[in-house]
Structures are given as C-alpha cells and as structure tokens.
Amino acid sequence: MTTKQDIIKSVPQKGFFGHPKGLLSLFFTEFWERFSYYGMRAILLYYMYYELNQGGLGLDRSTANSIMAVYGSLVYMSGIIGGWIADRLFGTTKTVFYGGVAIMIGHATLAIPGGMTTLFVSMAFIIIGTGLLKPNISSIVGDLYAENDVRRDSGFSIFYMGINAGAFIAPFIVGTVGLDYNFHAGFGLAAIGMFFGLVVFMVTKKKYLGLAGSFAPNPLAKDERVKVFSRIAIGIVAILVIGYILITNGIMTIDVFTMIVSILGIVIPTIYFIVLYRSAKTNADEKSRVLAYIPLFVAAMMFWAIQEQGAIILAQYADERTNLMVGSFEINPAWFQSLNPLFIIALAPIFAWLWVKLGERQPSTPKKFALGLFFASMSFLVMIIPAYMNGTDTLVSPYWLVLSFFLVVLGELLLSPVGLSATTKLAPAAFAAQTMSLWFLTSASAQAINAQVVKLYTPENEIAYFGVIGAVALIIGFLLYFFSPKIEEFMRGIK
Ligand code: GLU
Ligand code: ASP
C-alpha cells in the first residue's frame, strides 16, 4: 500500500523556484490548456454570430450567447465525472493525459470548416476532456507537498499564475489569427497549444511527478467493475438512443437542451448538499460546516455568473457597442478577454501581500466572499453609465470595459483563491476526493443559470440588464456580509 509519505518521498522536492520540479510540469501543462480554452472562448462567440460571408455561422445573438453559457457550464460540470474516473479508475496523471488528448482533438475538430456539426462534436470532446483534466491537474498540485508544507499555498498561487498567463496571451494570438485571418486557423492554434501542453506533461511527468497521481486512490474492486461498467454502458447507450430519437423528432432543440442544463445546474448541487449532509460518514461538526458552505456556494455562483459574462455579454459589447478605433488603429475585440487575466497577474501579489500584512485582522472567508460580490456587482453597475449618458446608439469608449474588467478582478481575487481552500476545509473528510469538483460546480451552476439570463440582453435594454443583475449581486453580497458572523459560527472553528 503506497502512503502519502511514499508519494512525497518520490517527488523531487526542489528545482523550480524552491518548489518541487513537478510544479513546473503542471504549470506549463495548465498554461497551455488554458491557452487553448480561453483562446477558443475569445473567438467562439464571434464565430457563432458572425454572418456566413464573414466566416461565421450566422446564428442569432441570443442563441450564440446562450450556447456560450451552456458550454461553459458543461465544461465544469463534467469535472464530477473526471474526478470519479481519477479516483476510482486511472489515478490523476493518466486521467489528465487522456483529458489533454480529448481537448486537442476537440480544438482540431473546429479547425475544420464544418458548420454546426463540427461545432457540437468539438464541444463534446472539450467538455469531456476538460472534465478529465482540469480538476485533476489541480489536485496533483496538492499531491506534491506534504500536508503541513508551508510552501503549499504559494505553490497553488504559482499554479494560478500559470492559468492566467495562458489566458492572457491566448486572445492576442488565437484572437488575432481568428478574427483578422480565419476562425478555423485560430481554433487550429488552440489545438497546437494543447499539443505543447501534452508534450510538456509527457516529457517531464516520469522524472518530476514521482508517484503523485500514478494510481487510483479508491479503486473499484474487480467484482464491482463488471457491475459498474455495464451500468455505465447501458446509461450511455440509453442517452444516445433517447437523444437521437428526440433530436430527429425535433423535440430536443437547442432551447430544450439549454433548459435541461439550467435545471441540472440547480439539481446537481442540491443533491450534493443533501448527500454530504445526510451521509453517515459526516459527523456533527462537519454537518454544521456543510450548512455554512451553502450560502458561500450561492455567493460564488452569483460571482461567476457575472465574471463569466465577461466572455459573453461584454464580448458582444466589445464588438458592437465599443469604439474600437484609436486614431487609425483598430482594436481587436477579442483582446478585451486578456484584461481579466492581466489584472489577475498584476494584482494577485498585492492581495497576497495584503493578507500577510493584515494577518489575523483580515476579513473572514464569508466577508471576503461578500466583498467579492460587491465588486462584481459594481462591474455591472458601472456599465449603466455609458448607456445612461449617451444612449445605446453611439459607440462608447473602450475604457468602460477596462473599468468593468478591473472591478470584477478585484472581486475575483477576494473570492477565487480562498474559495477552493474554503471548500477543501468545509467539505466532510469522507468526501475529500470530490471537493475540487464541488468548487468547480459553483462556476458550472452559475453558467447553467446564465444560459437563460444571457438570452435577455440586447443593447436596447442594457440599462435594465446590467442594473438588475448588478442589484441582485449587491443584495446577496449585503445579506452575506450581514449574516457572516452566524455563518462563521456554523463553520465550527474553520477560518
Ligand atoms: N478562471 C479560472 C480558471 O480557469 C477559474 C475557473 C473557475 O473556477 O471558474 O481556472
Ligand atoms: N481569471 C480567470 C481564471 O482565473 C481567467 C479568465 O477569465 O480569463 O483563470
């Protein structure tokens, strides 16, 4: 039986800025994976709604917006499956590798001009691939360090920089090629990015990762396998057959599918909470923490709902409502997607410094979440001003978008880095393997609901759109702040 101790011993503990060399493998693999994901996302919306003669698919705006949200939701929902596969079948490293391959195939599919069919095939590969890769690569980061290693948090921060560095450069490269040259060439670059990530992972894995992630921690027993596999096979076949019948009969339209995902976005976390709470393996303190986690989950959902609209509503805004001419130079609308990761990279060290400086006096987790929501709310409320001042028929200065992305990042830095660690600490010990997926569910559910919400945006009703969503976030933020002492009590000693 391999213990946590054996794993740590097998991992070279130095070699990358005082961190285990394995962090370098994970950093660059995730850098390239995020490069491919966010590069693709930076042009996908435009690909869907640009007219056929501009190389797009000619979908209407609201359908394109809604597909972006459904897609974003499923990409993180599938993390549940990815977590299960790593835990029970392959271990994390193999699962990450299979995920990377699926992602690369997905982007390569979109590099082929093939209309809606290739779009949906590509999405299926990327949804499954990201589910296999994303939660598992993050959990290998944790495996590199001993439980009480002081470098652990800074290891995660470095990894987070890798994510955002990839997300930062992608819109310039994929966005420029995709919009100025050809969408499919852009998607092809995303595939090449993922290929680089896979190469880094394969070449360095053996030497740097040791035993980390090399086996399934909770493997399915031989006799269980047959039963579980046949059930899975029956389930997949049933879904395919029913799906086929519903689609060919015109019952399963994009709208119906979107509705199903939106409902899943509410049902799945609800089931999770019921199971966590009612399990015999959850003790009384842990039950109380599960209850404390519910308002945090809702707040995180509200936050991601706004943050993720940066790639949907604000991307449409960049394209249609923003004056992109600076003198005779035209800004590429996809480049606005680099603002979020740019601000993250620039400001994350300042926040890290601030928390060290404040020490014990720093706000509690619920308060940080509440402040995070406040800034997210502001990022939408400021977008009322240009429409209010000049109406919605004239183009507005690009600085409004810069300001909006800046504000949402202040919120993101309050909420996102602490969110995962709060999830890890608040989830019952028996469910530790699922905590990564549980955290990604905040984003999945947010986008499942977004799939309905983003349909409502039009430039004409912009003031109401930004106003209502901003106000809802503000109210939830205030409630959270107000009840935070109560929530802290329920956290039973967890900070
Ligand atoms: N933008 C971050 C990433 O891609 C956060 C994802 C999330 O939790 O929604 O890793
Ligand atoms: N800030 C996001 C995440 O941390 C990246 C993005 O939205 O571009 O990676």
Short mmCIF file of all heavy atoms in Angstrom, two decimals, residues 358-384:
data_model
loop_
_atom_site.label_atom_id
_atom_site.label_comp_id
_atom_site.label_asym_id
_atom_site.label_seq_id
_atom_site.Cartn_x
_atom_site.Cartn_y
_atom_site.Cartn_z
N LEU A 358 -2.24 42.03 6.92
CA LEU A 358 -3.38 42.12 7.85
C LEU A 358 -3.38 40.97 8.86
O LEU A 358 -3.91 41.10 9.94
CB LEU A 358 -4.70 42.13 7.09
CG LEU A 358 -5.02 43.41 6.32
CD1 LEU A 358 -6.30 43.25 5.53
CD2 LEU A 358 -5.13 44.60 7.27
N GLY A 359 -2.76 39.86 8.48
CA GLY A 359 -2.68 38.71 9.38
C GLY A 359 -4.04 38.36 9.97
O GLY A 359 -5.00 38.15 9.24
N GLU A 360 -4.10 38.35 11.29
CA GLU A 360 -5.34 38.00 11.99
C GLU A 360 -6.49 38.98 11.70
O GLU A 360 -7.65 38.64 11.88
CB GLU A 360 -5.10 37.98 13.50
CG GLU A 360 -4.32 36.77 14.00
CD GLU A 360 -5.13 35.49 13.87
OE1 GLU A 360 -6.26 35.48 14.40
OE2 GLU A 360 -4.66 34.52 13.23
N ARG A 361 -6.13 40.20 11.30
CA ARG A 361 -7.16 41.22 11.11
C ARG A 361 -7.84 41.14 9.74
O ARG A 361 -8.73 41.93 9.44
CB ARG A 361 -6.56 42.62 11.32
CG ARG A 361 -6.36 42.98 12.79
CD ARG A 361 -5.61 44.29 12.91
NE ARG A 361 -4.33 44.21 12.19
CZ ARG A 361 -3.80 45.19 11.47
NH1 ARG A 361 -4.43 46.33 11.35
NH2 ARG A 361 -2.65 45.02 10.86
N GLN A 362 -7.39 40.19 8.90
CA GLN A 362 -8.01 40.12 7.57
C GLN A 362 -9.45 39.63 7.69
O GLN A 362 -9.81 38.94 8.64
CB GLN A 362 -7.20 39.25 6.64
CG GLN A 362 -7.14 37.80 7.04
CD GLN A 362 -6.32 37.00 6.04
OE1 GLN A 362 -6.78 36.68 4.97
NE2 GLN A 362 -5.08 36.71 6.40
N PRO A 363 -10.30 40.02 6.72
CA PRO A 363 -11.70 39.60 6.78
C PRO A 363 -11.83 38.08 6.74
O PRO A 363 -10.99 37.40 6.16
CB PRO A 363 -12.33 40.23 5.53
CG PRO A 363 -11.26 40.97 4.82
CD PRO A 363 -9.98 40.83 5.55
N SER A 364 -12.89 37.57 7.36
CA SER A 364 -13.16 36.13 7.35
C SER A 364 -13.56 35.71 5.93
O SER A 364 -13.87 36.57 5.09
CB SER A 364 -14.31 35.83 8.30
OG SER A 364 -15.47 36.46 7.81
N THR A 365 -13.58 34.41 5.69
CA THR A 365 -13.97 33.92 4.35
C THR A 365 -15.34 34.45 3.92
O THR A 365 -15.47 34.97 2.80
CB THR A 365 -13.92 32.38 4.32
OG1 THR A 365 -12.57 31.99 4.60
CG2 THR A 365 -14.34 31.83 2.97
N PRO A 366 -16.40 34.34 4.75
CA PRO A 366 -17.69 34.88 4.28
C PRO A 366 -17.63 36.37 3.95
O PRO A 366 -18.25 36.82 2.99
CB PRO A 366 -18.63 34.64 5.46
CG PRO A 366 -17.99 33.58 6.27
CD PRO A 366 -16.52 33.68 6.05
N LYS A 367 -16.86 37.13 4.71
CA LYS A 367 -16.75 38.57 4.43
C LYS A 367 -16.02 38.80 3.11
O LYS A 367 -16.38 39.67 2.33
CB LYS A 367 -16.04 39.29 5.58
CG LYS A 367 -16.88 39.39 6.83
CD LYS A 367 -16.69 40.72 7.54
CE LYS A 367 -17.72 40.89 8.64
NZ LYS A 367 -17.29 40.29 9.93
N LYS A 368 -14.97 38.01 2.88
CA LYS A 368 -14.26 38.15 1.60
C LYS A 368 -15.20 37.85 0.43
O LYS A 368 -15.19 38.53 -0.59
CB LYS A 368 -13.06 37.21 1.53
CG LYS A 368 -11.85 37.70 2.31
CD LYS A 368 -10.67 36.76 2.10
CE LYS A 368 -9.51 37.16 2.99
NZ LYS A 368 -8.54 36.08 3.17
N PHE A 369 -16.01 36.82 0.61
CA PHE A 369 -16.97 36.48 -0.45
C PHE A 369 -17.95 37.65 -0.67
O PHE A 369 -18.29 37.98 -1.80
CB PHE A 369 -17.77 35.22 -0.07
CG PHE A 369 -17.13 33.94 -0.51
CD1 PHE A 369 -15.81 33.64 -0.19
CD2 PHE A 369 -17.85 33.01 -1.26
CE1 PHE A 369 -15.22 32.45 -0.61
CE2 PHE A 369 -17.27 31.82 -1.69
CZ PHE A 369 -15.96 31.54 -1.35
N ALA A 370 -18.41 38.23 0.43
CA ALA A 370 -19.36 39.34 0.32
C ALA A 370 -18.72 40.52 -0.42
O ALA A 370 -19.33 41.12 -1.31
CB ALA A 370 -19.82 39.77 1.71
N LEU A 371 -17.46 40.83 -0.07
CA LEU A 371 -16.77 41.92 -0.76
C LEU A 371 -16.55 41.58 -2.23
O LEU A 371 -16.67 42.44 -3.11
CB LEU A 371 -15.41 42.18 -0.09
CG LEU A 371 -15.48 42.85 1.29
CD1 LEU A 371 -14.11 42.81 1.97
CD2 LEU A 371 -15.95 44.30 1.14
N GLY A 372 -16.26 40.32 -2.49
CA GLY A 372 -16.09 39.87 -3.87
C GLY A 372 -17.35 40.14 -4.68
O GLY A 372 -17.28 40.63 -5.81
N LEU A 373 -18.49 39.85 -4.07
CA LEU A 373 -19.76 40.10 -4.76
C LEU A 373 -20.01 41.58 -4.96
O LEU A 373 -20.55 42.00 -5.98
CB LEU A 373 -20.92 39.53 -3.93
CG LEU A 373 -21.37 38.14 -4.32
CD1 LEU A 373 -22.61 37.76 -3.53
CD2 LEU A 373 -21.68 38.09 -5.81
N PHE A 374 -19.59 42.36 -3.98
CA PHE A 374 -19.75 43.81 -4.10
C PHE A 374 -19.03 44.31 -5.36
O PHE A 374 -19.59 45.04 -6.18
CB PHE A 374 -19.20 44.50 -2.84
CG PHE A 374 -19.11 45.99 -2.97
CD1 PHE A 374 -20.26 46.76 -2.87
CD2 PHE A 374 -17.89 46.60 -3.22
CE1 PHE A 374 -20.18 48.14 -3.02
CE2 PHE A 374 -17.81 47.97 -3.37
CZ PHE A 374 -18.95 48.75 -3.27
N PHE A 375 -17.78 43.88 -5.56
CA PHE A 375 -17.03 44.36 -6.72
C PHE A 375 -17.62 43.81 -8.03
O PHE A 375 -17.65 44.51 -9.05
CB PHE A 375 -15.55 44.00 -6.60
CG PHE A 375 -14.83 44.89 -5.62
CD1 PHE A 375 -14.32 44.37 -4.43
CD2 PHE A 375 -14.66 46.23 -5.89
CE1 PHE A 375 -13.66 45.20 -3.53
CE2 PHE A 375 -14.01 47.07 -4.99
CZ PHE A 375 -13.51 46.54 -3.80
N ALA A 376 -18.09 42.56 -7.99
CA ALA A 376 -18.71 42.01 -9.20
C ALA A 376 -19.94 42.84 -9.56
O ALA A 376 -20.15 43.19 -10.72
CB ALA A 376 -19.10 40.55 -8.97
N SER A 377 -20.72 43.17 -8.53
CA SER A 377 -21.90 43.98 -8.74
C SER A 377 -21.52 45.33 -9.37
O SER A 377 -22.12 45.78 -10.34
CB SER A 377 -22.61 44.15 -7.40
OG SER A 377 -23.33 45.34 -7.39
N MET A 378 -20.47 45.95 -8.81
CA MET A 378 -20.02 47.24 -9.35
C MET A 378 -19.60 47.12 -10.81
O MET A 378 -19.80 48.03 -11.61
CB MET A 378 -18.83 47.78 -8.53
CG MET A 378 -19.22 48.29 -7.17
SD MET A 378 -20.48 49.58 -7.34
CE MET A 378 -21.61 49.13 -6.07
N SER A 379 -19.00 45.98 -11.16
CA SER A 379 -18.51 45.82 -12.53
C SER A 379 -19.67 45.85 -13.53
O SER A 379 -19.48 46.23 -14.69
CB SER A 379 -17.69 44.53 -12.68
OG SER A 379 -18.55 43.42 -12.84
N PHE A 380 -20.85 45.46 -13.08
CA PHE A 380 -22.03 45.56 -13.96
C PHE A 380 -22.69 46.94 -13.83
O PHE A 380 -23.13 47.50 -14.82
CB PHE A 380 -23.04 44.45 -13.65
CG PHE A 380 -22.91 43.27 -14.60
CD1 PHE A 380 -21.67 42.89 -15.09
CD2 PHE A 380 -24.04 42.57 -15.01
CE1 PHE A 380 -21.55 41.82 -15.98
CE2 PHE A 380 -23.92 41.49 -15.90
CZ PHE A 380 -22.69 41.12 -16.38
N LEU A 381 -22.75 47.43 -12.60
CA LEU A 381 -23.45 48.70 -12.41
C LEU A 381 -22.76 49.85 -13.15
O LEU A 381 -23.43 50.73 -13.69
CB LEU A 381 -23.62 49.02 -10.92
CG LEU A 381 -24.56 48.05 -10.16
CD1 LEU A 381 -24.66 48.43 -8.68
CD2 LEU A 381 -25.97 48.03 -10.77
N VAL A 382 -21.43 49.82 -13.24
CA VAL A 382 -20.76 50.92 -13.97
C VAL A 382 -21.13 50.90 -15.45
O VAL A 382 -21.09 51.95 -16.11
CB VAL A 382 -19.22 50.91 -13.88
CG1 VAL A 382 -18.75 51.23 -12.49
CG2 VAL A 382 -18.61 49.63 -14.41
N MET A 383 -21.52 49.73 -15.95
CA MET A 383 -21.84 49.64 -17.38
C MET A 383 -23.17 50.31 -17.72
O MET A 383 -23.54 50.44 -18.88
CB MET A 383 -21.83 48.19 -17.86
CG MET A 383 -20.48 47.52 -17.81
SD MET A 383 -19.16 48.45 -18.61
CE MET A 383 -19.57 48.20 -20.32
N ILE A 384 -23.89 50.74 -16.67
CA ILE A 384 -25.12 51.51 -16.91
C ILE A 384 -24.76 52.92 -17.38
O ILE A 384 -25.47 53.52 -18.19
CB ILE A 384 -25.94 51.62 -15.60
CG1 ILE A 384 -26.44 50.23 -15.17
CG2 ILE A 384 -27.10 52.56 -15.76
CD1 ILE A 384 -27.16 50.25 -13.84
#
